[in-house]
């Protein structure tokens, strides 16, 4: 990988740094923005670890060494002007120190120019919930529901999925919209929990679904005969 980017082409600023934009290789979401000097960039290229230079501390740092939220670099690209770099990474846990999936979690404006309305879809929500579950599984904080459920083992998580699926069926059968939304949220949460326990990401699921887009002829239920 070290030979794929000519560091002489990188236009480091007067302070010896270049901005680094970090993108989730699975979801495409922008996770964070930091800076790197030449040594940090060389380290990132050599080790595939998300490596940066801290302007406040004046030293090199590797994302996740303290928190466990490591970044495995899939690719490194230089922009057309040579003055910014893109890391595409596989992120473990949340990227933001606040515990959010992405550092860019405070919307100011949406595509229409209005204050964003997040009530219309799940955009980014599942990834953020998944990242929080991962973080809880790493830190196992006291009084955490994730920590308590994890202590019961995978079978306990799978039992919860079965229970929540039954609640979804009942809510749908009764036509209770508010209850159905709540029960589906519970089902999705515990399904994400099971994914995290086994090591499957929402990106893995998205890849399967994306592979099915535009296709027909998928097998349906067997005919009754």
């Amino acid at each position: 990988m070290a030979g794929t980017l000519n560091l002489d082409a990188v236009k480091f600023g007067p302070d010896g740094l270049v901005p680094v934009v970090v993108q989730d290789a699975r979801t495409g979401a922008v996770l964070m923005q930091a800076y790197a000097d030449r040594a940090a960039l060389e380290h990132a290229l050599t080790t595939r670890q998300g490596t940066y230079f801290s302007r406040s501390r004046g030293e090199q740092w590797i994302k996740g060494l303290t928190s466990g939220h490591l970044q495995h670099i899939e690719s490194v690209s230089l922009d057309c002007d040579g003055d910014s770099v893109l890391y595409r990474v596989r992120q473990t846990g949340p990227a933001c120190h606040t515990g959010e999936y992405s550092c860019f979690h405070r919307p100011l404006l949406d595509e229409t120019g209005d204050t964003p309305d997040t009530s219309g879809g799940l955009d980014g929500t599942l990834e953020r919930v998944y990242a929080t579950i991962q973080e809880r599984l790493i830190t196992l904080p006291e009084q955490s529901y994730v920590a308590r459920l994890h202590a019961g083992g995978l079978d306990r998580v799978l039992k919860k999925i079965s229970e929540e699926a039954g609640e979804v069926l009942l809510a749908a059968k009764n036509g209770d919209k508010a209850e159905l939304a709540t029960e589906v949220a519970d089902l999705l949460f515990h399904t994400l929990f099971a994914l995290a326990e086994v090591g499957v990401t929402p990106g893995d699921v998205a890849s399967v679904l994306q592979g099915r887009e535009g296709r027909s002829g998928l097998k349906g239920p067997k005919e009754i005969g």
Side-chain angles (χ1 to χ4, degrees):
M1 186 175 181
T4 62
L5 179 61
N6 178 11
L7 293 186
D8 291 334
V10 180
K11 296 178 182 177
F12 294 96
D15 55 3
L17 303 178
V18 64
V20 180
V21 177
V22 185
Q23 180 185 38
D24 191 318
R26 291 177 180 265
T27 67
V30 176
L31 299 177
M32 55 180 276
Q33 186 260 315
Y35 293 86
D37 60 1
R38 188 181 184 98
L41 198 50
E42 288 177 338
H43 188 272
L45 291 169
T46 302
T47 66
R48 290 184 179 265
Q49 294 177 309
T51 310
Y52 311 93
F53 186 87
S54 171
R55 295 180 298 170
S56 60
R57 300 193 303 272
E59 63 183 11
Q60 181 176 299
W61 63 285
I62 299 173
K63 176 69 175 177
L65 282 188
T66 301
S67 65
H69 303 159
L70 297 168
Q71 292 175 345
H72 175 78
I73 295 176
E74 293 287 311
S75 66
V76 178
S77 303
L78 184 64
D79 85 331
C80 57
D81 293 323
D83 57 4
S84 63
V85 175
L86 174 68
Y87 290 178
R88 296 186 71 251
V89 306
R90 287 184 180 240
Q91 175 74 45
T92 299
C96 184
H97 73 282
T98 64
E100 293 285 347
Y101 164 65
S102 166
C103 291
F104 297 95
H105 59 269
R106 301 189 295 175
L108 298 177
L109 196 69
D110 69 5
E111 295 176 355
T112 66
D114 300 322
T115 301
D117 177 7
T118 58
S119 64
L122 291 170
D123 185 26
T125 301
L126 297 182
E127 287 81 3
R128 291 193 294 273
V129 172
Y130 182 85
T132 299
I133 292 171
Q134 281 191 313
E135 190 271 336
R136 297 290 190 272
L137 289 175
I138 292 171
T139 60
L140 296 177
E142 293 184 13
Q143 307 304 319
S144 165
Y145 174 74
V146 170
R148 295 199 306 273
L149 193 57
H150 172 72
L154 180 59
D155 285 348
R156 177 61 181 141
V157 180
L158 299 180
K159 183 179 179 181
K160 286 295 296 182
I161 291 176
S162 177
E163 293 173 356
E164 299 300 344
E167 296 294 335
V168 168
L169 296 178
L170 288 175
K173 183 71 173 178
N174 294 332
D176 190 327
K177 294 181 180 179
E179 186 67 16
L180 180 58
T182 298
E183 296 303 340
V184 169
D186 289 343
L187 177 59
L188 289 174
F189 173 84
H190 290 92
T191 300
L192 290 171
F193 200 134
L195 293 178
E197 289 277 16
V198 177
V200 177
T201 72
D204 294 325
V205 178
S207 294
V208 174
L209 292 174
Q210 290 164 6
R212 294 177 179 176
E213 287 183 313
R215 294 173 57 191
S216 61
L218 295 177
K219 293 181 178 179
K222 294 181 179 179
E223 294 183 3
I224 299 175

